[in-house]
Amino acid sequence: MTEDVEMKELPSNSLLSSSTPSTLHHLKEIASLIETGAHAREVRRILRAVRLTMALRRKLKAPVLSAFLNFVLTPGSDVHARLNSFLPMEDDNEMEIDTVSSVAQLPVKHSLPEIEIYCYLLVLIFLIDKKKYDEAKACSSASIARVKNVNRRTVDVLASRLYFYYSLCYELTGDLAEIRGNLLALHRIATLRHDELGQETLLNLLLRNYLHYNLYDQAEKLRSKAPRFEAHSNQQFCRYLFYLGKIRTIQLEYTDAKESLLQAARKAPVAALGFRVQCNKWAIIVRLLLGEIPERTVFMQKGMEKALRPYFELTNAVRIGDLELFKSVAEKFSGTFSLDRTHNLIVRLRHNVIRTGLRNISISYSRISLADVAKKLRLDSANPVADAESIVAKAIRDGAIDATLDHANGWMVSKETGDIYSTNEPQMAFNSRIAFCLNMHNEAVRALRFPPNSHKEKESAEKRRERQQQEQELAKHIAEEDDDEF
Amino acid sequence: MDPKLTEVSQRFDRFKAAITRKDYDSCTELLSHLKVLLTSFRSLPPLFENTPNAIHELTLARDIYEHAVLLSVKIEDQDAFERDFFQLKPYYTDAGSRLPGSPNEYMILGLNLLRLLVQNRIAEFHTELELLSSTALQNPCIKHAVELEQSFMEGAYNRVLSAKQNVPHETYGYFMDLLAKTVRDEIAGCSEKAYDYLSINDARQMLLFTSDKELLQYIEEEHPEWEIKNGSVFFQKAKGAAPCKEIPSLQLINQTLSYARELERIV
């Protein structure tokens, strides 16, 4: 593999025993990886480079970064000066040792745009990790300006990471509204350049921006008009599904919302615990709003028990159908709910609690007076019997319960539920499951990826001769066989 | 003061006088003049430039639009309400930080929520609700609209109708009347499914008619399938009872064909 060959070429710097050189060593490997990727126009290598960088994130330190910048960029260039100004000056000793060693190495300095953008990215990640948000903001704005001028597919991967961190540092300082115009302009540029990964990332960042300020209307308008295509990155697709689910929930389209949210929770990588917790919280509420009770196992997933505890108690209250309990739970955890911004949705749940209570009553009693219904539901209002009557009437109309009302005598008579297997219900349920499995199979087949150039190796002259020889032998063999058969 | 500004303020005073006189035609005329004059101010949305008179102009423009919204309620024009409200909204959201709060803000927001409820645009109702801060939700005008929506969703229609008595502001009256009509249709729909029959008196009470004659007229117009016998109203409910003995053949065929197609695709 070519990557292995490159590693051997770089003279190992492990003469110095401290850990910093090995990080520097890795960074140099990554830089050469990016270079080869840029020259061969292979996006895969750049992807690999980014992944390796993420692994190194914890070990980045200022002197290492300065040494790396000196190695990779021509010192004295604009870029170099700007980036160096962001890095704090630390121990001079360490820097000197590293610079000595790097000079001894005949550094390769092509100053490709990819390398520049990569350096920006590295410095940005470092600043964010060190919580230096103002400098991060300045660095990211500079990098965005640079990216606008470069139009290469190989830069796309790095650029999309840059956009993400750009948005992140503004969000951490609470200034998201400022960059909305910029993000929209970048999205336009990405669309013009057919940069699909960039489009995806930017769309997600824009949706996040709008949803941060609760501007669901505008988010939906953007989402419905933006061009859609096959997802390039699993993580971006998960995020998109989550935002879509949120928008649909607010717009009262619970079935679509449930599908999106559950899919997002399933596709998310196991390491993304916080994201999955959020998805699950919203998914639980949507299921409650749809009238179904999520199973206990949902709340007992590894690592999520504590976070989902308020929702567990809420589900309990809805399941029992007790309005008083529901109110007390909602008040008890109102802080958590406001933080998750699910407060308005919880208010909508009141209606579901009443419905569930009614359903329980209608199943348990064949005939019950409306005054008793009102008492059981604990409706606290001026005229409970009349309220109960109209609520029951509406529930019957919506098909939630199967009963009739008798106004003169003031009672509710439940109907017998017939044998369900004599209807079409089982067939419908079966059909939906079959459709789901088939769909998943199709998607899995479509998602198969083969390494792009494996079948395109040019045959050398020798190989061609060999192959032709083999074919001739085979043809002779078949001809002989035919003769034999006769 | 800027001469344009003075002209606008003068016309605005005339407009306010016309409203109190209930002279709606001249009101609409003056309003269109005012709107044309407002386009010459550069500090208003969508430009939002920072001219020296910006605050004054913004406040004036906001007052004009608020009165336009109230006028549209008085002349009972819902489209005009929507248009004016959309023009008013940026003053509350974007320019809100620069201007002192308007006393009518919550009243108008509540009015808009009520309008969405009456037009049955519940999704937009909830989207608007998300935009309100928690302090806004405590305000009586907005609370009134939210509780109304809850009662409507739950089906406690008598609560909706009793809420008509305690409106926070008189302009709400118009929408409450429209709501009463929607509620009546809903009650009729629910009663149809829930009751086998109702005596004429009960039906009249539930549907809020003052006399039997009105009830009979309503039934004739909207629900001709209800029968009136022996002083009771019989709702047709025989249809859904018998279990359907037919096989939904088209659906079954479609399903089976799709299975066959998918299975063939598996290599």
Side-chain angles (χ1 to χ4, degrees), chain B residues 26-264:
Chain B
S26 53
C27 275
T28 22
E29 231 185 274
L30 282 167
L31 185 62
S32 17
H33 277 299
L34 279 171
K35 282 190 187 171
V36 172
L37 285 173
L38 278 177
T39 51
S40 58
F41 289 157
R42 296 186 65 81
S43 67
L44 304 178
L47 292 173
F48 275 125
E49 271 182 25
N50 235 337
T51 62
N53 288 330
I55 306 273
H56 198 94
E57 288 169 3
L58 284 169
T59 335
L60 193 58
R62 189 178 64 187
D63 283 337
I64 293 178
Y65 280 116
E66 282 179 1
H67 279 87
V69 165
L70 293 172
L71 175 67
S72 62
V73 175
K74 294 224 164 65
I75 56 178
E76 305 189 351
D77 185 350
Q78 291 192 24
D79 291 330
F81 182 104
E82 193 166 344
R83 274 196 308 264
D84 292 326
F85 183 77
F86 276 138
Q87 285 190 303
L88 180 56
K89 227 167 142 205
Y91 291 91
Y92 290 146
T93 48
D94 299 328
S97 46
R98 287 197 272 163
L99 303 176
S102 155
N104 295 329
E105 177 172 348
Y106 292 130
M107 200 253 307
I108 294 194
L109 286 174
L111 210 52
N112 184 46
L113 288 174
L114 195 52
R115 175 188 66 99
L116 288 171
L117 188 60
V118 164
Q119 291 174 343
N120 213 11
R121 286 147 80 171
I122 311 287
E124 291 179 35
F125 181 95
H126 281 283
T127 335
E128 289 286 324
L129 209 57
E130 285 289 325
L131 288 172
L132 297 172
S133 64
S134 47
T135 37
L137 289 170
Q138 300 301 331
N139 184 284
C141 300
I142 304 211
K143 245 170 125 173
H144 178 250
V146 172
E147 282 170 13
L148 217 55
E149 194 262 342
Q150 274 220 320
S151 312
F152 197 76
M153 282 275 120
E154 286 168 15
Y157 296 120
N158 48 342
R159 247 189 270 167
V160 171
L161 297 166
S162 59
K164 197 173 163 188
Q165 314 309 333
N166 43 344
V167 280
H169 200 266
E170 35 169 56
T171 38
Y172 281 50
Y174 165 59
F175 287 116
M176 298 301 289
D177 291 329
L178 286 178
L179 199 60
K181 189 169 170 307
T182 327
V183 165
R184 179 176 292 156
D185 289 332
E186 290 282 316
I187 296 182
C190 291
S191 321
E192 182 166 71
K193 295 275 168 57
Y195 297 95
D196 284 329
Y197 67 93
L198 270 182
S199 72
I200 294 266
N201 275 333
D202 291 333
R204 186 176 46 112
Q205 250 178 0
M206 284 185 51
L207 292 170
L208 306 162
F209 288 112
T210 39
S211 72
D212 286 349
K213 198 159 142 305
E214 282 181 30
L215 173 66
L216 292 169
Q217 204 180 18
Y218 175 74
I219 294 180
E220 257 179 59
E221 286 172 13
E222 307 281 336
H223 294 279
E225 71 269 10
W226 294 356
E227 300 169 0
I228 308 180
K229 280 194 294 208
N230 308 338
S232 308
V233 184
F234 282 87
F235 307 109
Q236 284 281 12
K237 272 191 34 185
K239 285 180 233 159
C244 217
K245 294 278 201 291
E246 326 164 332
I247 306 175
S249 51
L250 199 56
Q251 199 180 35
L252 275 178
I253 292 175
N254 277 332
Q255 276 176 8
T256 323
L257 279 179
S258 73
Y259 298 156
R261 195 171 48 227
E262 292 293 332
L263 283 173
E264 283 299 313

Side-chain angles (χ1 to χ4, degrees), chain A residues 420-431 433:
Chain A
I420 211 173
Y421 279 97
S422 63
T423 65
N424 280 326
E425 290 287 327
Q427 164 125 44
M428 298 287 121
F430 205 30
N431 186 43
R433 280 163 177 71

Side-chain angles (χ1 to χ4, degrees), chain A residues 247-255 289 348, chain B residues 121-124 126 149 153:
Chain A
I247 296 177
R248 289 275 175 263
T249 316
I250 301 292
Q251 290 183 327
L252 295 171
E253 290 175 33
Y254 298 133
T255 332
L289 283 167
R348 286 191 222 171
Chain B
R121 286 147 80 171
I122 311 287
E124 291 179 35
H126 281 283
E149 194 262 342
M153 282 275 120

